Amino acid sequence: MASRTPPIRVACHVIDDPFQVFRDYCIDYPNTLRRYDWAQVDRLRLSPEVVSASRSLFSRISREQELRLLSLNVNAPWDIVPPDARLHDADPLVRDGLYGRALTLYNHFLHQSGDGIADAKVSKSLHLTRPAFFPILDTQVLKLYRTSAQIAARDLSEAGSPYAPPRRAFWEAFRQDVIRAGDGLAALRDAARNDDHPVVAEAADQLSDVRIIDILAWSISRQIASTSWR
């Protein structure tokens, strides 16, 4: 049967039928969507409710780690990144632009939270506060994007970006995938809206482009891991 939507590239992998991958995720993990993505919580900044919701995505944030994150919430520069900020619009070549401001907010938590709190826990929490901006960088997604992030870091350095990291630019690699997948994501949403499964149809308009790419990336990383294991 022909694919219902155009292929979408995620990291160095082309997903031939992204709608089916997305649909399978929605059907297999409806509770994750309800308890994490659609959690009825105040999303302007971190809160106990946001951290609690992140555990539905296996953030594994302990009570002690939660207190550390929330203590940083008091003086976090939330106002420099609007709640509706989009990763698409964050040009890393612009000094003090959205990309740089979001990096400041992200690093406020990443670099001051102490032992046991790394990208996965920070990104799963902050994604809920700025769902169209912050990618979810868990271990599997980081591994999948390793090569693409190395290429992105090199390209940013050559272009003179003030935010070029020395090794890997995961945000920029992810951002390029979101931008490149514009037409494919629109087609995926159209297919999902017309699906007969209510969770799939609801997800079409409730999830950001960043989250859909994350779902595709996480799903393909699981498939790769399963194939490698066999």
Side-chain angles (χ1 to χ4, degrees):
M1 183 174 65
S3 173
R4 295 178 60 180
T5 54
I8 289 178
R9 175 180 165 182
V10 174
C12 296
H13 304 271
V14 175
I15 301 176
D16 292 327
D17 192 353
F19 171 71
Q20 189 60 53
V21 175
F22 177 76
R23 186 177 193 275
D24 289 345
Y25 181 93
C26 292
I27 293 173
D28 290 344
Y29 302 100
N31 288 336
T32 297
L33 294 173
R34 294 187 182 108
R35 297 171 184 171
Y36 177 74
D37 296 280
W38 303 335
Q40 299 300 306
V41 297
D42 180 1
R43 293 171 177 265
L44 291 179
R45 58 194 65 226
L46 281 190
S47 66
E49 293 76 20
V50 166
V51 175
S52 178
S54 77
R55 295 188 179 107
S56 297
L57 203 65
F58 301 101
S59 67
R60 297 183 175 88
I61 296 174
S62 69
R63 175 58 178 161
E64 189 271 334
Q65 291 170 342
E66 175 183 350
L67 293 175
R68 275 191 270 152
L69 286 169
L70 293 177
S71 71
L72 293 170
N73 194 40
V74 177
N75 61 345
W78 291 105
D79 292 343
I80 65 176
V81 182
D84 60 351
R86 302 193 318 156
L87 185 61
H88 315 53
D89 304 323
D91 187 345
L93 299 182
V94 177
R95 184 177 295 276
D96 299 326
L98 178 57
Y99 192 98
R101 297 197 305 272
L103 198 60
T104 297
L105 176 59
Y106 188 83
N107 286 339
H108 174 82
F109 291 95
L110 182 66
H111 293 164
Q112 300 184 64
S113 297
D115 294 342
I117 299 179
D119 283 298
K121 294 181 179 183
V122 172
S123 64
K124 288 178 181 181
S125 298
L126 292 192
H127 174 79
L128 286 175
T129 69
R130 305 292 187 271
F133 191 96
F134 290 116
I136 299 171
L137 301 177
D138 66 9
T139 302
Q140 290 178 319
V141 172
L142 288 174
K143 183 176 181 180
L144 184 74
Y145 267 91
R146 184 180 298 270
T147 299
S148 294
Q150 289 173 336
I151 295 171
R154 181 200 64 198
D155 291 346
L156 288 182
S157 178
E158 292 177 353
S161 169
Y163 307 109
R167 298 176 63 190
R168 300 181 185 94
F170 288 101
W171 279 12
E172 178 59 8
F174 207 98
R175 189 179 82 94
Q176 290 298 328
D177 280 354
V178 171
I179 293 172
R180 185 167 38 239
D183 291 342
L185 289 170
L188 185 153
R189 289 184 190 279
D190 286 342
R193 289 188 189 102
N194 295 316
D195 195 81
D196 57 4
H197 195 288
V199 175
V200 178
E202 184 174 1
D205 292 314
Q206 292 293 326
L207 300 180
S208 68
D209 287 353
V210 166
R211 180 66 167 118
I212 294 176
I213 291 294
D214 167 74
I215 286 172
L216 298 179
W218 184 83
S219 299
I220 195 67
S221 70
R222 296 259 296 180
Q223 292 177 15
I224 293 170
S226 176
T227 302
S228 299
W229 176 257
R230 294 194 187 105

